[in-house]
Amino acid sequence: MNRASKPRWWLVILFPILTALVIGLTVTRKQKIEYVPVEQVDSTLIMDTYEAIFDYIFQMRIDHPTIVMAQCIEESGNFHSELFVKAHNCLGMKVPGSRPTHAVGVYKGHARFKNWHDCIADYAIWQSIYGRNMSETEYYALLDRIYAEKQGYSTRLKNIIKKYGI
């Protein structure tokens, strides 16, 4: 028997697996992401979002990750706000006038992003310009001075850190 006429065992094994994978990807792509009212959001989904965002903050090597995570919780209304859900903005970022940005538009006066990853990457750019190599005290002071829109911002962040054990 020559080589061409031998059964290809690997095709018998791999073909059903590859077929299932292609069908699965096709079905997944067609699913629409819909806005879910806060009352219907599963707490597991919130925890998954929380952990994914916190991990990404570390991956981006952002200074003061616990403070930044507290900002995400504060600015996104614990990942329930309309700004987070519809504009993927978990940090209350505005569209900058003179620095590079990942924003793709504006939503109710704030930056709109393709996804929350881009929002955090945008914050990393902001931090690299305005807040690198600062002590925790200096960083809180910076946030109170140029980032916050309301007084008591750093106090609210410290309370979030304490409440969630970040």
Side-chain angles (χ1 to χ4, degrees):
M1 209 193 275
N2 67 20
R3 186 178 172 113
S5 63
K6 287 184 181 178
R8 300 230 157 91
W9 62 268
W10 56 272
L11 280 176
V12 174
I13 294 170
L14 287 179
F15 185 75
I17 295 170
L18 291 173
T19 303
L21 183 62
V22 168
I23 291 169
L25 288 175
T26 305
V27 170
T28 304
R29 281 190 180 160
K30 290 182 181 179
Q31 294 173 345
K32 289 178 83 177
I33 297 172
E34 297 180 21
Y35 175 74
V36 178
V38 173
E39 303 81 38
Q40 296 176 7
V41 174
D42 182 6
S43 62
T44 305
L45 179 63
I46 296 299
M47 284 308 297
D48 289 347
T49 302
Y50 176 96
E51 289 175 14
I53 288 173
F54 206 20
D55 285 347
Y56 196 66
I57 290 168
F58 277 97
Q59 289 171 16
M60 293 296 294
R61 299 181 186 268
I62 293 175
D63 287 350
H64 308 291
T66 56
I67 296 172
V68 177
M69 187 62 196
Q71 285 183 272
C72 288
I73 293 168
E74 168 74 11
E75 298 288 347
S76 72
N78 206 15
F79 309 109
H80 290 98
S81 74
E82 185 179 348
L83 183 63
F84 177 68
V85 173
K86 293 190 177 182
H88 312 290
N89 189 335
C90 56
L91 282 156
M93 300 293 290
K94 303 274 185 153
V95 177
S98 61
R99 70 165 172 79
T101 184
H102 289 279
V104 294
V106 178
Y107 182 81
K108 295 190 176 183
H110 288 81
R112 183 173 54 82
F113 299 97
K114 287 189 295 187
N115 53 55
W116 60 257
H117 294 90
D118 286 353
C119 178
I120 292 171
D122 199 61
Y123 185 92
I125 296 168
W126 176 86
Q127 190 186 71
S128 71
I129 294 169
Y130 299 105
R132 278 286 186 205
N133 302 317
M134 292 183 164
S135 71
E136 191 173 284
T137 304
E138 292 169 326
Y139 198 68
Y140 276 124
L142 172 75
L143 293 175
D144 280 336
R145 192 174 63 253
I146 69 170
Y147 196 91
E149 292 182 353
K150 296 183 219 168
Q151 283 193 330
Y153 190 69
S154 62
T155 301
R156 288 192 305 280
L157 297 180
K158 290 173 187 175
N159 289 338
I160 289 169
I161 291 167
K162 189 176 181 178
K163 177 181 178 181
Y164 290 94
I166 302 172

